[in-house]
Amino acid sequence: MSPVITCLAHMTLQDVSVQRGGRTLISGLSLSLNRPQILWVEGGNGIGKTSLLRVCAGLSRPEQGMVVWSRDGEPCTPIEIISFLPTQNYAKAQLSVEEDARFWGADELLPPVGLTDLARQPSGAISTGQAKRLSLAKLLAADNPIWILDEPLAGLDAAGRALVGRLLKQHVDKGGIAIIASHAAIPIADIFVQRLRLTSDTD
């Protein structure tokens, strides 16, 4: 019998509506994430995936409704439990990869993400896929129980996509939650995946 894995944090959306540019993208969305899992947000371009992820991360406010975050049964702020990985990769171009990673406490995580050989390269000179790997190292260093990932496979080759799948499985297996928006399939197995498809019918 498999051991019961305790969820490290919870998130609840209560009747959430999301707008962008005065247009309602999502209306009356309620859901609860209270077990280790992946929530996979699907839908076409412009449907509101990134806007919803930003609301879940506490970076934007919903037009209506509310998002509640908690840890160990106590309310908390999103900054205490969430790591947000945007589509764009942010690196300090004037620093080497190792120096950039060290700033975030992630220099020891360069080997797991496959950047050991690039440690002394300028961050501004590495490829999009390598910059994504550097962002993944920073994500791991933060060690937050909820990950919110916007197109995490962007710029990655097959090995990079497999790496994302492994990291997600490890995260959920230890009690974490991941909210993902991705057009591409992520190679993940043996973890609970809940799918949320946004359509024009929800506008």
Side-chain angles (χ1 to χ4, degrees):
M1 184 175 180
S2 299
V4 175
I5 300 174
T6 301
C7 192
L8 299 174
H10 295 174
M11 177 190 297
T12 302
L13 279 66
Q14 301 174 356
D15 198 27
V16 165
S17 294
V18 178
Q19 284 192 352
R20 186 180 64 233
R23 174 172 172 258
T24 299
L25 301 172
I26 300 165
S27 180
L29 176 62
S30 295
L31 60 86
S32 182
L33 303 177
N34 54 17
R35 61 176 289 184
Q37 68 175 92
I38 289 176
L39 174 67
W40 197 320
V41 183
E42 301 175 303
N45 291 331
I47 206 70
K49 299 187 299 297
T50 295
S51 296
L52 177 59
L53 263 56
R54 289 182 59 82
V55 167
C56 289
L59 299 174
S60 301
R61 291 186 178 184
E63 182 66 20
Q64 293 183 352
M66 63 187 300
V67 183
V68 178
W69 304 271
S70 63
R71 186 171 196 169
D72 298 326
E74 297 294 330
C76 64
T77 62
I79 198 171
E80 297 176 87
I81 58 170
I82 290 175
S83 290
F84 180 70
L85 184 68
T87 304
Q88 302 87 358
N89 299 308
Y90 295 104
K92 298 182 180 298
Q94 71 275 23
L95 301 179
S96 69
V97 169
E98 185 176 35
E99 290 168 337
D100 192 347
R102 185 179 299 120
F103 178 83
W104 298 97
D107 47 312
E108 294 184 359
L109 294 166
L110 293 180
V113 299
L115 291 179
T116 304
D117 293 341
L118 297 175
R120 297 191 178 183
Q121 291 291 320
S123 290
I126 60 178
S127 71
T128 300
Q130 291 160 348
K132 180 71 72 177
R133 288 173 178 264
L134 179 55
S135 294
L136 290 170
K138 298 172 186 177
L139 183 78
L140 293 171
D143 197 29
N144 280 321
I146 298 180
W147 292 358
I148 299 182
L149 315 179
D150 195 359
E151 297 295 342
L153 302 188
L156 289 173
D157 57 12
R161 294 192 292 271
L163 170 65
V164 171
R166 291 195 301 272
L167 294 179
L168 283 169
K169 178 167 174 50
Q170 292 168 9
H171 179 65
V172 175
D173 280 348
K174 70 177 186 179
I177 290 171
I179 304 173
I180 301 169
S182 177
H183 289 294
I186 300 175
I188 48 179
D190 301 324
I191 55 179
F192 178 66
V193 178
Q194 178 181 353
R195 293 182 181 270
L196 172 64
R197 181 155 188 86
L198 304 180
T199 70
S200 57
D201 293 335
T202 62
D203 287 355

